[in-house]
Amino acid sequence: LKEEQREFLAVIRQSSEFMLKLVNDLLDIANIEAGRLVLDLQPTDVATLVERNVALNNVLAARKNIAVSFERIGESPTVWLDVAKFVQVLNNLIGNAVKFSPPGALVSVRLSRQGNELVLAVTDQGPGISPAEMGRLFKPFARGKAQSTAGEKGTGLGLAIARRIVEAHGGRIWAESQEGHGSTFYVVLPLRSV
């Protein structure tokens, strides 16, 4: 193939992947809204799960010269999780952090235990989120004014899906941000006996 043809094929592939993600996100939201979110809970070593996910996301982040670090603070107990759905949450939070951070930035992922809860924090070095946008951050199709740093596209559904998954696990999710100084997204999960 000629160079121009390869470029067209790359654009077609990117568009197809985006459309597939959009369709999958719409199906997820439809199932969640219809009350059909079913969890397959299994005892899970969350630290190992997060560490593996960070390693995979580091490969993608390297394309933008961004590093994703992982820090485990203290003991990491086994937690009842739907692994596939929790990986979806991790990919969304870490992917967004990479998407909105400039090249050369560091995305930090921390896992700690606070009392009877497990706390995951994902911190980026992006542009931050305005107070006006913060209120609609976890609503379907919500998009902020911040632009991705390498033209990555999003469906506006990822955080809404992540919130529903976290809440289905009995947890909570929120963000703290200051414009111009990045954001930190928190996921807190209750610890239950395994």
Side-chain angles (χ1 to χ4, degrees):
L1 295 176
K2 295 179 183 173
E3 182 62 30
E4 184 180 29
Q5 292 170 321
R6 281 196 294 272
E7 288 175 15
F8 283 136
L9 284 175
V11 168
I12 291 168
R13 181 177 180 183
Q14 286 176 333
S15 296
S16 298
E17 288 172 354
F18 178 76
M19 292 304 295
L20 178 61
K21 179 169 178 21
L22 178 61
V23 168
N24 285 333
D25 284 350
L26 287 169
L27 289 171
D28 284 345
I29 279 288
N31 283 329
I32 289 168
E33 294 296 327
R36 291 191 300 255
L37 177 61
V38 178
L39 299 180
D40 179 19
L41 299 175
Q42 304 169 21
T44 306
D45 177 349
V46 180
T48 300
L49 179 67
V50 173
E51 190 170 29
R52 287 182 188 149
N53 190 271
V54 165
L56 290 172
N57 274 285
N58 250 317
V59 173
L60 300 173
R63 295 178 189 166
K64 287 180 66 174
N65 192 31
I66 292 175
V68 183
S69 69
F70 174 60
E71 179 183 12
R72 178 181 6 183
I73 302 169
E75 162 196 2
S76 178
T78 301
V79 178
W80 286 94
L81 285 180
D82 182 313
V83 173
K85 289 188 174 44
F86 194 71
V87 164
Q88 192 174 355
V89 172
L90 288 172
N91 285 334
N92 180 267
L93 296 180
I94 296 172
N96 281 350
V98 170
K99 183 190 304 185
F100 293 105
S101 291
L106 174 68
V107 170
S108 167
V109 180
R110 292 180 316 281
L111 187 65
S112 62
R113 180 178 181 165
Q114 295 180 5
N116 290 325
E117 296 179 319
L118 194 65
V119 180
L120 173 77
V122 178
T123 302
D124 66 44
Q125 294 180 334
I129 303 162
S130 73
E133 293 172 334
M134 197 64 81
R136 56 187 174 86
L137 197 58
F138 293 95
K139 296 188 184 316
F141 303 106
R143 292 189 185 174
K145 66 179 180 181
Q147 299 294 314
S148 64
T149 55
E152 301 99 329
K153 298 199 183 308
T155 62
L157 293 169
L159 287 175
I161 293 169
R163 186 185 96 209
R164 298 297 173 87
I165 291 171
V166 169
E167 289 174 349
H169 282 85
R172 48 195 200 283
I173 183 172
W174 74 93
E176 294 177 0
S177 185
Q178 184 178 10
E179 280 188 280
H181 298 284
S183 305
T184 300
F185 284 77
Y186 294 93
V187 172
V188 175
L189 297 172
L191 295 176
R192 298 183 185 110
S193 299
V194 175

